[in-house]
Amino acid sequence: MGAVTLKDIRLNEYNFVNLPLLKQLRAGLLEKKPEVCIERARYFTKYLEKAPEEEPAELRYANAVNYFLSEKAPLFFDDNLLAGTTTSKTFGAPVYPEFATGLAIWPELDTISTRKKNPLILTKEEAEELNFDIYPYWMKRNVLEYTRKKHGNPKCMRIFERIVFFLATKAGCISHTVPCYRVALEKGVEYIIEDAASREAALKNEASLDDEKRRKVEFYQAIQKAMEGVIAYAQNLSKEAARLAEKEQDPTRKENFLKMAEVCSQVPAKQARTFREAVNSIWIVQVAIHAENINMAMSPGRLDQVLYKYYKEDIDKGALTVKEAMELVGCLWLKLNDNTNLVPETAEELWGGAGTVPAVTVGGVDENGEDAVNDLTYIMLRVTELLKTRDPSLNARYHYEKNSKEYRNRVAGVIVNTKAVPAFLNDVVNVEVLRNQGTDLKHARDYAVIGCVELGVPGRSYDASSAIMLNLVSVLELALNNGKRPVTGDEQIGPVTGDPSHFDSFEQFWGAFKSHFVWLAGKAIELNEYFGRVYQEILPSPLLSAFFEGPMEEGNDLIFGGAIYNSSGATHIGFADTVDSLNAIKQAVFIDKKYSFAEIKKALEANFEGYEKLHAYLVNKTPKYGRDEPIAKENSQKLIRFIYDFYQRHVNYRGGKYRPGYWTMTNHAGQGKLSGALPNGRKARQVFASGITPVSQAAGDLTTSLKMIGGLESICIASGEALNLKYPSVPTEEDIETLGQAVQAYFVIGGLHVQFNIMSYDDLIKAKENPEDYPELLVRVSGYSAYFKDLNEAMKDEIITRTAYDIKTGEAVPFPEEYKTMLAFE
Amino acid sequence: MLKEIFESFDSEVTEEFLELLLNAMRISYVFNKDFRKNIEGFEGRYLFKSRDGNITVAAIFKNGKLNVKEKETGNTDMTVGFRNAKALREFIFSPKPDILGSILRQDVVVDGNFNYMFKFAYMAKHLQLMVTGKA
């Protein structure tokens, strides 16, 4: 049950004047230049080079984690109240050589520090260490190459490596999950070790050990080893803090070091006794999880729920003030920004700007379905409002029957003041979606966001929610071109489904589209399964497993299906452009019979040059997703249902179903730049619409648009959707309430998620033209936040051209005439 | 001489680009101890083939040496098919190694272990920077 005791839920009396530490730390963060950190790669390589190859994978990996955490430098870079750093740099991009991205910067070792897009500082000495000592060991050992060798460079892998069809993200990571810190907080990591040891002993006492039991023994041993590493790191932090305290002259800093020394001697080894210990325990566990798992969407989850008990106890005892709690939460938020991704330059140009997307979820209902909003929810909202940092990606759950209007409007107010965060999630429908996937009601009510918008049950579901990112437009183009795509030339990629010029009905084209989808998504699943089994062989996750329910009880690592719930996520890029193209084909070729398929194909090949009349017809006279048009409604619903039915028939290597989603990160911009002209009138190499959002400028009335999107069958969107909306401004309290009401209305219809940018076309155009004047401009991309300046040009254009709606009328604001060439169909 | 070769890559790219590059690398492995360190203990077999079939070159790294052969070779770790010499140059190093971009543009089709390509591109770029005094 929620407990709100704050007199002012806005906490307006707290600001950077009376929270100078947060102001100072934030300023430091924004000044930091990212650096490549090779510390983990160094220790992992050192350990594994010497470790016997025949050592069981669980133990081998756990030992490497232990070795790294024991050797990891205990560093204190600033006056943050929390001890622990993800990397050895103030703002580090760690190298994970076991994944594809780790070695992809090899060609750039001499130039990465000076590259144009998002440079990463790398010293000459560390570049040489990577080149000579680290990378050679991994040349045949990373997950991508191990899979290639094992399966003989299968076609699914070669299709993936063309990049324009689907991305199979397991080549680079699994992550994308929400662990649970409760055991670490309430009992401590030492308890986890004892638990694993007693289970190991019980098994060993049995008369004989078959292979399965032996595997369990190894798993329990691995958990102990990994957890010992976590404790070693915390002890090293404690010792170093004590040493620094001794020589520190500044009394405030000295006191902070002493406090951190005390905190780290207690947590996470033992239970947390105070709010400060609890927050620092979570942070150290988060650092430790990244010692094993790549820093991509490893999400802390419902921190206002997990930490509330410690907050309340301290507040009731008089041991903590609201201001102190805000400082600690702020310090955690800033710590979550201490690392970034390692990305090669071309990938930055196509997909750049994403952070590591650790998602924090607040609000909503508790396991009993009651209002879970508490004082800490509002503290986290206020801290987010003040700091305006890229991470954590904050998500506000909202149950329109249980949560108060005041809460709803407060979230809306934070969105307006930050111009971007948090995102809103619909508790009513999201719980139904999870229930439909077989999740227990209480567990479903405890959901949290993974990374962008995907739903996970903290510490209970292992969802690998971004396993597949499939380009729906590539399916459309394969269907249009009998199994070929303009971007891949004359090569027969997909099955031969016939030249659409000879199709007699729209249903025939829809049949071809479905055939190509089944083929392509089948390839993506095939590859994901190969990767999953390779992870089982060489990259288990004993440390992460310890923070889930199920693995300990079953003696089974997460990667083998140890969690209570398992699934794999497949998200889809270009949904609105695909729907609108289907609409256009149906209307133009088969209803109006205005143009033949052959004419449309010729126009597409010419990028509509010389076909201006046809182009104008396609743009202006064919149905658009987001408008109240039956064909658009029918095609969008048909597509969503078809995709859902397809994935749900497939079970992954962990025994869970595949779940489809519609969120695109920056891929709709990158993939758009690689695609030809489309039947909806979008021109070649223009961006696609993001997430589940209608094509920019296609839907002129917000209410109509929300009705259509909210009316999609929500249970079919099991891995989340990202709806991006934009208001030029929300100037008054009344307008903030209007925003809140719009969200509520959308949720009542059935929408799952919505996020906003509160910016005008002009604001964003100016920010693109003068990036130096907007260094801190935060925007929502498609499920996460980014600094506008860090995004690639295509992504900036996509955000600029997104339809902006007037908050008072709900009507689209006209796009500036002089910039109309930026629009995808101009 | 090496400097001139690498500087010429910036202005014009002829069909001899690959041959020149591999020979420059081969010579550098012999005479430059620091550069040779890159291939100590390294074994790798590369095959470069132009799409029109005019160029077929195998580069074999073994025993701290680079051997270049103008014919196909088996058991390759990485096969690189390229549209033309300019596309190959873009792919490998100039003005930046653009492996991903070249694949996306369909200028280059690779088959094999990508990490071998990453290593080769690093060595080529590093040599370019070394001989032009930018390393």
Side-chain angles (χ1 to χ4, degrees), chain A residues 103-104 106-107 109-110 131-132 139-140 142 145 148 153 161-163 345-347 349-350 487-488 674, chain B residues 37-38 42 96-101 103-104 106 111-116 118-119 121-122 125-126 129:
Chain A
L103 271 68
W106 200 342
L109 291 182
D110 287 322
N131 180 50
F132 292 121
M139 281 186 81
K140 292 181 182 174
N142 72 9
E145 299 309 333
R148 193 194 310 282
N153 203 13
E161 286 176 341
R162 304 301 283 269
I163 300 165
E345 187 168 20
T346 307
E349 285 168 3
L350 282 167
V487 70
T488 44
L674 303 167
Chain B
K37 197 179 163 196
N38 278 292
F42 172 59
K96 63 186 180 195
D98 192 11
I99 291 173
L100 185 57
I103 295 168
L104 289 170
Q106 311 296 313
D111 186 8
N113 185 328
F114 268 52
N115 297 327
Y116 280 78
F118 295 148
K119 180 176 174 68
Y122 168 77
K125 184 72 188 172
H126 190 67
L129 295 172

Side-chain angles (χ1 to χ4, degrees), chain A residues 281-521:
Chain A
S281 181
I282 284 175
W283 174 240
I284 293 174
V285 169
Q286 181 81 355
V287 169
I289 286 174
H290 284 139
E292 182 187 76
N293 305 269
I294 202 166
N295 57 338
M296 177 48 74
M298 192 56 77
S299 298
R302 304 185 74 186
L303 291 183
D304 62 338
Q305 307 304 306
V306 174
L307 286 168
Y308 182 65
K309 170 186 159 189
Y310 302 93
Y311 167 83
K312 188 167 185 316
E313 279 174 10
D314 277 7
I315 288 279
D316 288 350
K317 279 192 289 191
L320 182 77
T321 64
V322 169
K323 183 185 161 205
E324 286 165 345
M326 287 185 71
E327 274 187 332
L328 285 163
V329 169
C331 283
L332 180 60
W333 266 215
L334 292 157
K335 281 286 185 185
L336 286 164
N337 281 275
D338 83 346
N339 63 100
T340 189
N341 308 120
L342 186 72
V343 183
E345 187 168 20
T346 307
E348 280 285 2
E349 285 168 3
L350 282 167
W351 295 290
T356 60
V357 205
V360 170
T361 304
V362 297
V365 297
D366 61 19
E367 288 191 345
N368 298 316
E370 298 302 325
D371 184 7
V373 173
N374 58 43
D375 287 354
L376 212 40
T377 313
Y378 290 112
I379 285 174
M380 289 176 179
L381 285 169
R382 179 61 177 154
V383 168
T384 301
E385 187 174 47
L386 282 172
L387 291 178
K388 298 185 181 70
T389 46
R390 179 170 71 177
D391 291 322
S393 177
L394 193 73
N395 299 277
R397 289 176 42 170
Y398 175 54
H399 193 298
Y400 52 79
E401 289 166 350
K402 297 288 182 180
N403 295 139
S404 68
K405 192 177 87 175
E406 289 72 23
Y407 165 70
R408 182 198 74 189
N409 290 350
R410 175 61 186 138
V411 175
V414 177
I415 292 169
V416 171
N417 290 331
T418 59
K419 297 183 181 293
V421 283
F424 262 116
L425 283 111
N426 184 354
D427 261 19
V428 177
V429 179
N430 283 323
V431 171
E432 281 174 21
V433 167
L434 286 172
R435 291 281 290 147
N436 184 56
Q437 291 297 312
T439 308
D440 169 83
L441 178 59
K442 284 195 170 195
H443 293 173
R445 285 172 175 158
D446 192 36
Y447 80 88
V449 170
I450 307 164
C452 291
V453 298
E454 320 91 276
L455 311 176
V457 184
R460 289 174 175 138
S461 69
Y462 190 47
D463 297 298
S465 59
S466 88
I468 294 167
M469 305 185 90
L470 190 133
N471 181 359
L472 272 181
V473 169
S474 75
V475 176
L476 181 81
E477 287 195 330
L478 288 171
L480 282 168
N481 298 288
N482 198 9
K484 298 177 183 176
R485 275 195 80 189
V487 70
T488 44
D490 201 36
E491 187 181 345
Q492 185 71 38
I493 300 285
V496 172
T497 48
D499 179 354
S501 305
H502 302 128
F503 289 170
D504 298 324
S505 66
F506 176 73
E507 286 311 311
Q508 230 179 323
F509 182 72
W510 173 241
F513 179 92
K514 287 195 291 186
S515 297
H516 284 288
F517 181 89
V518 167
W519 176 80
L520 190 62

Side-chain angles (χ1 to χ4, degrees), chain B residues 88-130:
Chain B
L88 187 63
R89 183 196 65 171
E90 300 290 324
F91 178 66
I92 294 173
F93 63 39
S94 183
K96 63 186 180 195
D98 192 11
I99 291 173
L100 185 57
S102 299
I103 295 168
L104 289 170
R105 290 190 299 272
Q106 311 296 313
D107 284 342
V108 172
V109 176
V110 294
D111 186 8
N113 185 328
F114 268 52
N115 297 327
Y116 280 78
M117 202 57 243
F118 295 148
K119 180 176 174 68
F120 184 88
Y122 168 77
M123 292 191 292
K125 184 72 188 172
H126 190 67
L127 183 59
Q128 182 197 33
L129 295 172
M130 268 169 62

Side-chain angles (χ1 to χ4, degrees), chain A residues 152-360:
Chain A
N153 203 13
K155 182 160 186 178
C156 56
M157 184 175 258
R158 283 180 278 133
I159 296 284
F160 153 58
E161 286 176 341
R162 304 301 283 269
I163 300 165
V164 293
F165 295 97
F166 64 81
L167 302 179
T169 64
K170 272 200 180 63
C173 68
I174 294 188
S175 286
H176 283 84
T177 196
V178 190
C180 184
Y181 311 99
R182 280 207 166 92
V183 178
L185 292 179
E186 290 171 9
K187 297 179 175 175
V189 165
E190 282 177 357
Y191 168 82
I192 297 174
I193 293 174
E194 286 163 19
D195 192 12
S198 67
R199 289 173 193 270
E200 179 200 345
L203 277 171
K204 279 183 168 171
N205 283 339
E206 292 186 16
S208 64
L209 282 181
D210 56 20
D211 283 351
E212 195 189 332
K213 282 177 185 162
R214 193 169 296 112
R215 198 162 63 83
K216 287 184 180 188
V217 166
E218 288 160 6
F219 174 65
Y220 289 131
Q221 289 171 340
I223 285 186
Q224 293 169 65
K225 204 72 192 170
M227 292 298 118
E228 283 162 9
V230 182
I231 293 173
Y233 177 56
Q235 284 171 344
N236 289 342
L237 285 169
S238 177
K239 282 181 208 155
E240 179 64 5
R243 189 187 71 79
L244 291 168
E246 231 171 75
K247 54 178 209 174
E248 180 60 58
Q249 301 300 312
D250 180 279
T252 308
R253 285 203 178 112
K254 191 180 188 75
E255 191 192 331
N256 189 32
F257 280 130
L258 285 171
K259 192 71 194 167
M260 285 193 283
E262 183 195 333
V263 167
C264 293
S265 68
Q266 176 72 18
V267 294
K270 298 176 171 57
Q271 67 177 83
R273 298 165 302 187
T274 65
F275 184 67
R276 180 169 180 159
E277 285 183 354
V279 176
N280 210 147
S281 181
I282 284 175
W283 174 240
I284 293 174
V285 169
Q286 181 81 355
V287 169
I289 286 174
H290 284 139
E292 182 187 76
N293 305 269
I294 202 166
N295 57 338
M296 177 48 74
M298 192 56 77
S299 298
R302 304 185 74 186
L303 291 183
D304 62 338
Q305 307 304 306
V306 174
L307 286 168
Y308 182 65
K309 170 186 159 189
Y310 302 93
Y311 167 83
K312 188 167 185 316
E313 279 174 10
D314 277 7
I315 288 279
D316 288 350
K317 279 192 289 191
L320 182 77
T321 64
V322 169
K323 183 185 161 205
E324 286 165 345
M326 287 185 71
E327 274 187 332
L328 285 163
V329 169
C331 283
L332 180 60
W333 266 215
L334 292 157
K335 281 286 185 185
L336 286 164
N337 281 275
D338 83 346
N339 63 100
T340 189
N341 308 120
L342 186 72
V343 183
E345 187 168 20
T346 307
E348 280 285 2
E349 285 168 3
L350 282 167
W351 295 290
T356 60
V357 205
V360 170

